Amino acid sequence: MVPGEAGIEKRDSCWSQINNSDFDVVIIGGGISGASLFARMAAEGYKTLLIDKGDFGSATSQASGMMIWGGLLYLKSLDFRTVFTLCRDRDTLISQCPSRIRSQYYYYFPLKGGWQFTPLVKGGLDFYRLLGGVRRGRNYIEKNPGEKNLLRSERFRNPLAYEEGMLNFSDCRFVVDLIRQYDSDNAIPLNHLEFNKANYSGTDKRWHMELTDCFAHRTASITSRLVINATGPYCDHVNRIVGIRTPYKHVFSKGVYLTFRRPDSHVHPLIFEMGYNSDVQTFVPWGPVSLWGPTETSVDALDEEITPTAEDVSFLLEQANRNLRHSYEKKDIISFRAGVRALAVPDSYHAHHYPLELSRHYRIYLEKEKNWIAVYGGKFTSGSTLASLVMKKVARVLEPATRPGVAPQELTETQENFMFPGLEAAFPSPEHCSDHEYCLTVDDYLRRRTNISQWSARNGLGRDNENQAAVLEIIKRLPQRPGLVPETALEQYISTTDRLFANLMDQ
C-alpha cells in the first residue's frame, strides 16, 4: 500500500468537494480558537470550511504548559471577571472531555520571608475556589509533599494544594481530536491550505477566495457568506491582507518552556512564586519529562516562526537552579516549547505593561458590511466562551442554518501502536495518523500527533542523531510530498533542528 493512501484519498475527495463550492462560513486558523468555532458552527448546521496554512494545533496551540486552569494569576490584579469566566470554562472542559482532561491537584509554594504568608495565600486560594463555584476539591496545606526533595526547601513554606485541570496527552492532540469529532460532509477541515486572494462582492454578498494546497501544489476557488479570522497572533496580518480595519490590535507576550527528564517523585504540578511582578514559575510533569517555565516577555514584532532565544534559555536555567535542588545545565535540556500569547488591546494602545497586567478577554469584531469576523485575544481554556460570543455576531449576518447540526463523533477507530527508540510510551502509528488525523509531514507526526519530538532529545533525532534511522522510517510511512523524497525530507528536518539547537545551546 502507498504510504498514507487512505488519508490522501480523503484529502483529494475533500478538495474536489470544496472546489467551486459555496459555504456558509469559512474559518481561517486551526488552533484552539478555530477548532472551537468549527465545532460550534458544525453543531449549529452551517456548511463550514476550516483551513490553516500549517498544521492543526500548531503555533501557539502547541506551546502551552498542559494546564487547564482558571486564571489564578489574574486574581492578583483583581480581574474577577476573567477569573470567573476561566474557572467556568475550565470546569466545562473537565466535565465534557473526561478522557482528555483530568482533575489535578497543584502545589503552590509561597516564599519564606515574603509577604505571601501561608494564611493569606490560603485565603486567596479559597476565594479563587469560591469564584469557581466551589466545583473543585477543597484546598489544604500539604505538610509532606512527595516533591519536597526536588526543590530548595529553604526558600519555601509548605505548599497549598488546590485543584485545577490537566491535559492527559497534549494541547495539539486536544485540538486535532476536537476537529475530528465534527468532521463531516458539511463541515470540512483542511490543513496545509493557504488562501491567496479574498475579495468581497457586494453584488452576491459573498467572499470569493482562492486557496492553495501547500502539500499537493494545487488551487481551488470557493465562495462564502461569512469569513471568521481566528488566526490568533496573526489576526492583524490577515486583516491587512483583505483590507479590514478594526478598533483592536494584538500585543504579544512570548512564553518559553524547557523540558528536562522527569524525576521519579515528580507527580504534581509545582507553582513557585518568583518574588516580583506577581509572576510564577511552574514545574509540570508531562509523561517522561518535566516542563519548566514559562517566560513572560513582551514582543514588539511577530516573526513567522516563534522560537526561543539564548536569553530565554539562560533566564529559565537561572530560575530553575534558584528554585530546584538539581543543578540544571544546557546539556540537560531535552526540548523547547515556544509560543506567543496574543493580548487584545484598543488600536490606540501604545503603553508598555507587563503582560500579566493585561486581560485575556476576547474582543470580537464584526465588519457587517463585508461579513467578516475577527477574533482577538483569548486562552486555551476558554474555547466555549469564544464560540458563544462569536455566535452572537454570526446571528447578526446569517439566518439560522436549515441543515441538521453535526453531533460529535466518538473517536473509536482501532489504531496500531508504534514504539519509538528510548521511549516507553506507545504512540499511534504513522499510518493511522495519516489515514485518520490529517497528518501529512514528519513534523505533524513527531510534534502534534505524538509527543516524540518533545519527549526525545533534539526533536526526536537524539543527542547524537542516534534516532535518525527511526525518523527516516517514519517519513517513509507518511504521505510523500510531490517532488520530495524521504531522504531529502530527513535532511531538511535535521537542518532545521541543528539550526535551532545550535543557536540556543552553543552560546
Side-chain angles (χ1 to χ4, degrees):
M1 176 180 289
V2 176
E5 183 174 24
I8 291 299
E9 286 181 356
K10 180 180 179 181
R11 187 176 175 89
D12 290 343
S13 175
C14 289
W15 187 258
S16 299
Q17 192 175 346
I18 71 168
N19 195 19
N20 298 316
S21 290
D22 184 41
F23 290 89
D24 295 322
V25 182
V26 169
I27 301 168
I28 307 173
I32 185 60
S33 294
S36 299
L37 293 171
F38 178 73
R40 182 63 179 268
M41 298 301 137
E44 295 286 341
Y46 291 109
K47 185 177 180 182
T48 304
L49 174 65
L50 173 67
I51 63 174
D52 194 295
K53 68 180 293 185
D55 190 20
F56 297 134
S58 57
T60 297
S61 292
Q62 66 176 10
S64 80
M66 304 301 153
M67 297 174 286
I68 302 297
W69 63 298
L72 175 64
L73 295 186
Y74 298 99
L75 191 62
K76 296 180 179 180
S77 59
L78 306 183
D79 190 354
F80 301 140
R81 176 186 169 200
T82 296
V83 176
F84 174 81
T85 301
L86 290 174
C87 283
R88 180 193 62 200
D89 291 342
R90 171 202 62 197
D91 295 338
T92 298
L93 283 176
I94 292 172
S95 64
Q96 291 182 351
C97 310
S99 64
R100 288 176 280 170
I101 299 174
R102 68 184 185 275
S103 295
Q104 174 71 61
Y105 268 98
Y106 291 36
Y107 287 166
Y108 188 105
F109 288 88
L111 284 167
K112 286 182 179 178
W115 64 268
Q116 291 115 339
F117 58 95
T118 300
L120 180 61
V121 176
K122 188 175 187 305
L125 288 172
D126 287 342
F127 182 55
Y128 177 61
R129 180 170 177 258
L130 183 64
L131 283 175
V134 200
R135 290 183 290 267
R136 299 292 98 214
R138 287 184 176 276
N139 305 328
Y140 62 92
I141 300 172
E142 177 54 70
K143 296 183 178 180
N144 189 29
E147 290 87 353
K148 191 172 183 178
N149 66 310
L150 301 181
L151 62 140
R152 297 188 182 276
S153 55
E154 68 275 8
R155 286 178 49 81
F156 302 100
R157 295 185 173 92
N158 285 331
L160 281 297
Y162 72 103
E163 194 177 51
E164 299 271 21
M166 192 81 181
L167 287 162
N168 284 336
F169 193 78
S170 76
D171 39 14
C172 32
R173 162 61 66 180
F174 182 90
V175 170
V176 169
D177 284 348
L178 178 59
I179 294 169
R180 292 176 63 211
Q181 284 187 288
Y182 289 88
D183 186 341
S184 64
D185 288 341
N186 286 311
I188 300 173
L190 283 169
N191 55 349
H192 297 284
L193 190 69
E194 186 173 12
F195 82 90
N196 301 322
K197 299 177 183 177
N199 299 292
Y200 185 76
S201 169
T203 303
D204 63 3
K205 308 294 183 184
R206 296 287 194 279
W207 280 94
H208 293 252
M209 306 179 73
E210 182 180 288
L211 309 177
T212 295
D213 184 341
C214 302
F215 185 81
H217 309 299
R218 52 190 172 184
T219 60
S221 297
I222 64 166
T223 57
S224 182
R225 299 164 66 202
L226 172 67
V227 175
I228 302 176
N229 176 3
T231 55
Y234 304 103
C235 181
D236 295 311
H237 173 70
V238 172
N239 284 343
R240 285 193 293 270
I241 290 176
V242 297
I244 296 291
R245 292 181 59 88
T246 81
Y248 307 111
K249 67 180 181 181
H250 278 136
V251 295
F252 306 108
S253 167
K254 183 171 69 171
V256 177
Y257 287 91
L258 307 180
T259 70
F260 304 117
R261 185 64 56 198
R262 181 176 65 83
D264 291 340
S265 60
H266 191 193
V267 176
H268 298 86
L270 311 181
I271 317 296
F272 300 98
E273 284 282 354
M274 289 179 64
Y276 55 90
N277 286 329
S278 297
D279 206 348
V280 300
Q281 292 282 284
T282 64
F283 197 45
V284 181
W286 180 37
V289 301
S290 294
L291 298 170
W292 175 259
T295 59
E296 193 76 51
T297 310
S298 295
V299 179
D300 294 328
L302 188 64
D303 296 327
E304 184 71 18
E305 187 176 6
I306 304 160
T307 57
T309 65
E311 290 76 16
D312 294 326
V313 174
S314 295
F315 171 80
L316 289 171
L317 285 175
E318 177 185 345
Q319 290 296 317
N321 292 328
R322 185 182 181 194
N323 295 291
L324 302 175
R325 189 170 298 281
H326 181 82
S327 182
Y328 286 102
E329 303 176 36
K330 286 184 178 180
K331 65 180 178 61
D332 297 311
I333 298 171
I334 294 174
S335 62
F336 308 91
R337 296 172 67 77
V340 294
R341 305 168 187 88
L343 307 170
V345 296
D347 186 55
S348 59
Y349 177 89
H350 295 291
H352 179 79
H353 287 88
Y354 191 66
L356 285 178
E357 297 174 2
L358 299 175
S359 172
R360 300 297 292 270
H361 281 303
Y362 285 108
R363 297 289 183 264
I364 314 298
Y365 176 76
L366 167 63
E367 178 63 67
K368 194 172 181 181
E369 293 184 359
K370 291 187 175 181
N371 285 12
W372 179 278
I373 292 175
V375 176
Y376 288 86
K379 196 174 187 308
F380 196 95
T381 305
S382 51
S384 60
T385 289
L386 168 64
S388 297
L389 292 172
V390 170
M391 276 306 304
K392 292 178 181 178
K393 303 289 188 181
V394 171
R396 294 177 57 185
V397 293
L398 295 183
E399 63 275 10
T402 57
R403 300 180 188 85
V406 177
Q409 307 170 52
E410 291 292 329
L411 305 178
T412 57
E413 68 272 359
T414 302
Q415 65 181 44
E416 175 189 352
N417 286 335
F418 175 80
M419 304 301 296
F420 190 81
L423 297 177
E424 295 181 0
F427 301 100
S429 69
E431 291 84 357
H432 172 87
C433 293
S434 59
D435 289 347
H436 301 283
E437 300 181 354
Y438 327 111
C439 182
L440 295 175
T441 72
V442 64
D443 193 51
D444 292 353
Y445 181 77
L446 294 177
R447 183 67 173 81
R448 289 174 290 277
R449 301 311 180 277
T450 71
N451 299 326
I452 290 171
S453 71
Q454 293 284 282
W455 289 358
S456 182
R458 298 183 68 257
N459 288 344
L461 290 166
R463 298 196 183 278
D464 299 306
N465 279 358
E466 65 269 19
N467 297 332
Q468 183 173 319
V471 173
L472 178 60
E473 181 62 25
I474 289 169
I475 294 173
K476 290 179 178 180
R477 294 169 65 174
L478 291 170
Q480 303 303 300
R481 186 188 295 269
L484 184 66
V485 298
E487 289 75 14
T488 302
L490 175 64
E491 290 174 4
Q492 293 177 353
Y493 188 73
I494 293 173
S495 176
T496 299
T497 299
D498 286 345
R499 187 167 59 251
L500 170 64
F501 279 80
N503 288 341
L504 297 177
M505 304 291 279
D506 295 342
Q507 297 186 33

